[in-house]
Amino acid sequence: MTTFEYARNSWIRMGGLRSLRSRLKRFTYGRQWDDLTVDNEGKLITEGEAARRAGRRPLTNNLLRSLVKSVVGRFRHNIASASALSGKAAEIHRLNSLDELDARLLEEFLISGCAIQRVAWENRFDGHRVWIDNVSPSRFFCNRFLDPRGSDIRLVGMLHDMSAQEVRMRFAHNSHRRAREIEEILSRSSAMRPEASLAAVDFDPEAVSWDRASDPALHRVVEVWTFEYVRHVGSCWYCRFFAPDGTVIDESRSPFAHRSHPFAVRFYPLTDGEVHPFIEDVIDQQLHINRLITTIDSILNNSAKGVLLFPIDACPQGVSISEAASLWHKPSAVIPINPRARMLPQEIVSSGRSEGASALLDIEFRLFQQISGVSGALQGQAPSGHVSASLYDAQVANSAVALQDIFSTFDTFRGERDVKALKSC
């Protein structure tokens, strides 16, 4: 098996993680009725469509987004309180806006369980220096590994979308001959792409494929790093950049002082090679909360609210039902009534009998907080009148302890990333 085929197989193998991430991301950002279900005819439809067919409005109370924002906010508070960096590390942080990058990466870490950054000394349009980039799990691949530290990774890489100009700038190495070879490689690569993709006006950044750039105006370039034996050198990390057809655009040994690949990788929690993200733990509670709210809304919408029972014989001669109903809604109105009517008009108001669903909804809210470990205090919610200041502070501290494992893992990742950045200079 060639290096290119091994890389492609690793990309395919990680399809399950990409699918899980896509679902969790949909839920986090509010698209919580898109899961598929089977209707009475055996056809696949979304849960939202199933609810609408049953006469209910699919409502969403997005607790996941609030949960993620609270944890990221706590992280921002922690790094603001931490001691400032100095020297080269401070310069790398400033030039790469790492506080902002890390906050966004933590959001990804909570949703997908993946923290991935690429750290490399490169020549780009904005200069030749150490660059640190967040890498989307939808573009990343590696061999299956079991060590939480990633020490058993032997192949790692990512998919790039680059313009022809950027490919020449990065890989021609100021050689006109190499520039012409790259143009020929890109031309063959473009000829392989379906005409429909070239003619597309809009593109979907979520539709990431192995052999085609998300933007039809750009070119797919596959970066692959492998740990292998090189004659006269010994074991080392070796880098290759491929075109989608497997043609090597550029290759070299690791140029970094750390002698490794440029990726900082942390999957959380990694158990037997499987990833089970933080958000996955509370998906079922979020689903049940949405269904309960939708059920309560349906009950209230279909219950009697201010329904007027006006017996026909209660209308005196010369007064219609519509006139009597119009007078009923007016303050200080006088409604003529036939005194010989068998029953006087009355108004019916029904509670909808949703007490059971409301009680269950309250239980689900509490379960959501217990499972996530993020209390209302950590989210900045105002305490009730009987909660003292010391008790409120204790609730905040307890929530912080529940999240300590996530923060410690992420901080370890950031520390290893910083070491790799300093050794990339």
Side-chain angles (χ1 to χ4, degrees), residues 85-98 121 128-130 132 421-422 425:
L85 298 171
S86 61
K88 193 66 176 178
E91 181 183 3
I92 292 174
H93 270 248
R94 178 181 59 83
L95 291 175
N96 286 279
S97 303
L98 282 189
W121 180 278
H128 199 177
R129 57 180 173 84
V130 174
I132 300 176
L422 288 171
C425 300

Side-chain angles (χ1 to χ4, degrees), residues 190 192-203 212-217:
S190 297
M192 293 173 57
R193 292 187 291 183
E195 292 297 325
S197 67
L198 296 174
V201 177
D202 298 324
F203 65 94
R212 188 169 62 250
S214 300
D215 185 342

Side-chain angles (χ1 to χ4, degrees), residues 185-195 198 219:
I185 293 172
L186 295 181
S187 178
R188 290 199 304 270
S189 175
S190 297
M192 293 173 57
R193 292 187 291 183
E195 292 297 325
L198 296 174
H219 296 271

Side-chain angles (χ1 to χ4, degrees), residues 249-269:
I249 298 175
D250 195 27
E251 58 182 323
S252 65
R253 285 188 291 118
S254 174
F256 311 118
H258 54 69
R259 301 178 61 188
S260 183
H261 57 79
F263 295 95
V265 181
R266 187 72 58 178
F267 288 171
Y268 174 89

